[in-house]
Amino acid sequence: MSQITTFTFFKLETFSNKLWAFAQMQLGHAHFKNIEGLVFYKLLGSGAENGFSSKPNFGTYALLCIWESEMQATNFFEKNSFFNKYKSKSAESFTVFAHAAEAHGKWDGKQPFVSGATLALDKPVMVLTRASIRISKLISFWRKVGKVSKSLEDYDGLALSIGVGEWPLIQQATLSIWKTQAEMIDYAYKNEKHKEVVRLTRKLKWYKEELFARFIPYKFLGKWNGKNVENFLEVN
């Protein structure tokens, strides 16, 4: 189980830093060539809601990376000039380290996650849901999905949920971290708004590509919403 996944979130405050971060959605790719141990990466913008959102948030960005080992990830975070420049421009940032437990579907035509971890109902879980929405289905999709994002606010077991994406409206993803897998399952299978969207997804074929993955998060580094995240699941 050497492969690990990291998610880093950056919060920008000043206009100049937000503009710089927005530009990196295009320019930043030049800095990810020949990074030792990097298997897969995505530079992601964010939405203004907990999950899939049509409203952009120009103050929060994310970096998803898959690494051959934690040592190589740590080396990147400590020494890479682009990453550290991004951190220096951020008012806050944090990184979560995780092992993939389950992964279904594809991202850009491939399945990048090597699953090997074992989930437990009483332990934390991180969930990634990603979809590329068919152009012809955009209107029907966005009419329904906002209710699901709103419904996440009522769940105490949810430690964090952020909507991210490569392209506004079309390529969307949600990363959520739950205090226990049992609480995540309770939401997924009992929340009526979520169940309706799952049903409509199958019926209306909204997505031309989708991916669903669960992870065991095992380390948090940094600060978010004014709090140190080393004990993230306990303090949120």
Side-chain angles (χ1 to χ4, degrees), residues 33-38 67-68 71-73 75-76:
K33 297 177 180 178
N34 302 317
I35 301 294
E36 183 180 359
L38 183 63
W67 304 93
E68 292 177 354
M71 181 181 68
Q72 291 164 322
N75 184 63
F76 172 84

Side-chain angles (χ1 to χ4, degrees), residues 206-225:
W206 279 333
Y207 308 145
K208 63 179 181 180
E209 185 181 63
E210 60 182 309
L211 180 143
F212 175 81
R214 294 181 186 179
F215 306 82
I216 296 177
Y218 67 90
K219 183 164 68 174
F220 298 86
L221 298 175
K223 181 178 286 189
W224 201 249
N225 295 330

Side-chain angles (χ1 to χ4, degrees), residues 135-149:
I135 300 295
S136 62
K137 304 291 185 179
L138 285 175
I139 294 176
S140 65
F141 174 82
W142 286 112
R143 279 177 176 169
K144 294 290 184 181
V145 77
K147 296 177 182 179
V148 176
S149 299

Side-chain angles (χ1 to χ4, degrees), residues 22-40:
F22 179 75
Q24 301 319 303
M25 291 291 290
Q26 179 64 37
L27 302 177
H29 296 284
H31 300 280
F32 288 87
K33 297 177 180 178
N34 302 317
I35 301 294
E36 183 180 359
L38 183 63
V39 176
F40 181 90

Side-chain angles (χ1 to χ4, degrees), residues 137-172:
K137 304 291 185 179
L138 285 175
I139 294 176
S140 65
F141 174 82
W142 286 112
R143 279 177 176 169
K144 294 290 184 181
V145 77
K147 296 177 182 179
V148 176
S149 299
K150 190 71 175 176
S151 71
L152 279 164
E153 297 175 3
D154 300 328
Y155 279 78
D156 292 334
L158 180 68
L160 175 76
S161 180
I162 298 181
V164 293
E166 299 152 89
W167 290 96
L169 299 177
I170 298 172
Q171 293 181 341
Q172 296 283 310

Side-chain angles (χ1 to χ4, degrees), residues 184-192 194-195 212 214:
M184 183 276 292
I185 291 173
D186 182 77
Y187 168 79
Y189 293 100
K190 293 183 181 180
N191 182 276
E192 292 302 323
H194 182 266
K195 286 165 61 178
F212 175 81
R214 294 181 186 179

